[in-house]
Amino acid sequence: FKKILDDNEAKGKRQYIRLDCEKIKDVNAYLALGTKLFIIDVNNISTTGIAIKTIPDLAPAFKPNSEVYNISLSIKRHSFVISGVVYHSSIESGFLNAVILLGKLSDNEQDIIRKFIFGELDNRISMDLDTCLKDTKNYETYKLPENFVPYRSK
């Protein structure tokens, strides 16, 4: 994904938060093609797009600049059908990787994705904070260096 941003000379802050979903079981996607249903792994998600990994047999359906319809996206207990435009696709390590820019989502669908992303990020931060070592330094006996000058904002 970073390569795509670099190729397009994307600079500065990103407007959308993207969540890495490779190890999250609550995000699933399926593609209906004809009478067959294919499982798609969601690598990451934002309210504007998803990065996916699937079998290379689906490469014709994920050509760059092509439209993709009938992707069923399930996030926790919510499911909805999305469509979008394939921004990039490549076959690496025996898998098809693609970036799909999502079409128009309803406000409810955007809200579901946004709440899921922020909930997962909040859980990750909480888990990291819970596993940090507590500060046990006794600051009552701590002396500042003689040449210490406190920073004062203007």
Side-chain angles (χ1 to χ4, degrees), residues 136-147:
T136 58
K137 189 171 193 103
N138 183 358
Y139 289 98
E140 291 178 7
T141 61
Y142 185 74
K143 292 188 178 189
L144 295 172
E146 288 183 31
N147 60 351

Side-chain angles (χ1 to χ4, degrees), residues 14-28:
R14 308 287 181 248
Q15 288 185 322
Y16 303 96
I17 295 177
R18 181 172 51 94
L19 178 67
D20 179 19
C21 299
E22 289 185 74
K23 296 178 183 172
I24 299 175
K25 302 290 183 208
D26 291 334
V27 180
N28 301 301

Side-chain angles (χ1 to χ4, degrees), residues 78-90:
H78 305 281
S79 293
F80 43 92
V81 177
I82 60 173
S83 62
V85 175
V86 179
Y87 180 75
H88 171 78
S89 67
S90 63

